[in-house]
Amino acid sequence: MADLAPPDREHGTAGHPAADRPLSTREAVRRTRPWRRATRWRRQIFAITWLAYAGFYFARQAFSVAKLGILDDPLVNGALTERVLGVVDAVYLVAYAVGQFTWGMWADRFGPRVVVAGGMVGAVLASVTMGLSGTLLAFGAAMVLQGLAQSAGWAPLCKNMSNFFAVSERGRVLGVWSTNYAFGGLVAPPFLGWWAYSVFDSWRAAFFSGAATVVVVLGLFLVFQRNRPQDVGLPPPGGSPAAEPDGEPAGEPGGQPGAQEGAAAPEPARQGVLTLYRETVRDRMVLTLGAAYFLLKPARYAILLWGPVLVSRRLPEVDKIGATLIPVAFGVAGVVAPILSGWVSDTLFRSRRVPPCVLALGLLTVVMALFMPLTAAGSPGVMIAVLTVIGLAVYAADALISCVAAVDFGSESGAGTAAGLVNGCGSVGAVLGGLLPGFLSGDALFYGFAGAALLAGLLLLPHWNRRPRAAGEGNTHDSQAS
């Protein structure tokens, strides 16, 4: 039965049958259905990829939680001393950096699903190995595996999200999505500590409970994740679900074969891994983001890994529990900052990612330079306020550089490679963040962080008006805003 819908002027010309005939009810429903399905799939991909990366932290944080028990366990603390555990941390960070340079391009070649799932499997195996053993050799080998496995999460999942969300909305969407790592870092330690020291009274339980959590997340990921909208019969973000040249909507009966929901659409022709990597390495904007992230990451990891020690040095009258709790302000700010910076980049700066990064780095420069004089009075309230501002500045720039800008400025087929390269540079900086607080005094340390933040901002400043490649426009990110 014919419907009273207006003529389809969009896909025909005057006098052409396609332009003059009214749409049937069935055809109208088939043409609008992809939009409703796209909303559901976008929400589903957002949720499952957010959960996946947060889930990685339950394996990542197990070693930090287990350290307390290891150092008090006479069966292992003769070999696993405090210095040895620090070296094991450094081994993990080096492996993590190596993996960041690798897995992004493999996600571009084989899709995020296989890379992320493989990373979760590796994280589980490494955690179980450390829970079963207490020897230095086993811990070292397991932490190499854990570093490589953990690095399989971020860049591939960023690419997964970029496949479902257009450039114009990524600042807001990926800003909220980037709360996953701050959330995981906040929730995983108390959860693992409860199992290890309240339920089982064994540091080994931290590794086993972390592994079990990742197994559950892996199962959910395999059920609910898809690589691309095309895999479920939907157009790419910014594309149109309207009729194909033959008049049928993509992914519906009569359209392209094999594009129905649940059946993977044929993958487009892909560049070779090394070719894609060489092209990304030659991209000036990607290299600039990598350099800026290398300079930013040490400050974040210094506070993550040494926060209680830094607080204790400045506030000697605060007990150990207080010194542990005060840096939580840094993590809480890390949940808020990506949301704020993503919204600002999309709305106030019209999808320009560099301006909010430069502003955040400027704020970080000031607060790092003033850290020592501001905390000299020994006030816990001032320390909490200072760490909150540092967290806002660090995580605002971190989320934009490592995720939103990285996938925006990479080519359409190389978003994962670009994110991996940028995050690999940052992970090298993270190694310094773990080492420098043990070798430098407070003044030298924080003035050094201030100088690094200033240099990162200066590197990005010439790109203030640069916009990311719009969907479907090719590699046009060198254009300037009007």
Side-chain angles (χ1 to χ4, degrees), residues 154 158 170-172 174-175 178 181 289 293 296 337-346 349 351-360 393-409 422-423 460:
W154 185 255
C158 285
R170 283 182 194 162
R172 288 161 291 172
L174 291 179
S178 295
Y181 60 89
L289 291 171
Y293 202 37
L296 171 66
I339 301 173
L340 179 62
S341 63
W343 179 85
V344 167
S345 73
D346 269 354
F349 293 105
S351 297
R352 285 179 292 162
R353 314 306 182 192
V354 173
C357 286
V358 172
L359 294 175
V394 165
Y395 281 101
D398 190 292
L400 283 174
I401 294 174
S402 68
C403 183
V404 186
V407 298
D408 275 357
F409 289 108
V422 171
N423 281 272
L460 291 174

Side-chain angles (χ1 to χ4, degrees), residues 2-17:
D3 190 81
L4 297 179
D8 183 14
R9 303 286 180 185
E10 189 175 350
H11 297 95
T13 57
H16 191 280

Side-chain angles (χ1 to χ4, degrees), residues 86-115:
V87 172
V88 172
D89 267 334
V91 168
Y92 162 81
L93 290 171
V94 171
Y96 186 80
V98 172
Q100 288 282 11
F101 286 110
T102 305
W103 299 125
M105 62 180 178
W106 285 104
D108 285 330
R109 180 66 181 86
F110 298 108
R113 183 181 183 86
V114 64
V115 179

Side-chain angles (χ1 to χ4, degrees), residues 31-293:
R31 290 193 179 189
T32 58
R33 185 183 302 158
W35 291 107
R36 295 198 297 267
R37 291 182 55 241
T39 299
R40 176 178 70 84
W41 273 104
R42 281 152 55 94
R43 291 173 178 172
Q44 181 170 316
I45 293 301
F46 181 100
I48 193 59
T49 54
W50 187 96
L51 179 64
Y53 197 70
F56 270 102
Y57 271 76
F58 287 82
R60 180 184 301 193
Q61 295 290 107
F63 183 47
S64 298
V65 172
K67 285 177 183 176
L68 295 172
I70 290 172
L71 294 174
D72 288 336
D73 188 345
L75 296 178
V76 297
N77 62 13
L80 300 176
T81 64
E82 187 170 344
R83 290 186 178 182
V84 168
L85 295 182
V87 172
V88 172
D89 267 334
V91 168
Y92 162 81
L93 290 171
V94 171
Y96 186 80
V98 172
Q100 288 282 11
F101 286 110
T102 305
W103 299 125
M105 62 180 178
W106 285 104
D108 285 330
R109 180 66 181 86
F110 298 108
R113 183 181 183 86
V114 64
V115 179
V116 175
M120 289 188 182
V121 171
V124 169
L125 293 176
S127 294
V128 171
T129 299
M130 297 179 77
L132 292 174
S133 179
T135 66
L136 175 58
L137 180 61
F139 265 50
M143 285 300 269
V144 170
L145 175 59
Q146 188 69 264
L148 294 173
Q150 291 288 330
S151 60
W154 185 255
L157 289 172
C158 285
K159 177 180 175 62
N160 203 166
M161 285 289 292
S162 73
N163 286 342
F164 280 83
F165 292 90
V167 169
S168 60
E169 61 188 343
R170 283 182 194 162
R172 288 161 291 172
V173 173
L174 291 179
V176 177
W177 184 82
S178 295
T179 60
N180 48 22
Y181 60 89
F183 179 85
L186 281 174
V187 173
F191 175 82
L192 300 173
W194 178 72
W195 282 105
Y197 302 119
S198 295
V199 178
F200 291 104
D201 193 23
S202 170
W203 57 266
R204 299 179 187 276
F207 293 109
F208 295 136
S209 58
T213 303
V214 176
V215 168
V216 173
V217 173
L218 173 59
L220 295 172
F221 182 80
L222 293 176
V223 171
F224 294 109
Q225 185 269 352
R226 298 294 185 274
N227 284 338
R228 305 174 301 144
Q230 297 93 313
D231 294 342
V232 290
L234 294 170
S240 171
E244 295 291 332
D246 63 359
E248 296 292 347
E252 296 299 316
Q256 294 179 357
Q260 288 79 12
E261 183 172 349
E267 294 281 353
R270 297 181 185 272
Q271 297 171 277
V273 171
L274 294 180
T275 300
L276 188 59
Y277 194 79
R278 283 195 296 267
E279 290 182 0
T280 305
V281 169
R282 288 196 295 264
D283 190 300
R284 184 179 63 174
M285 189 61 192
V286 172
L287 292 179
T288 300
L289 291 171
Y293 202 37

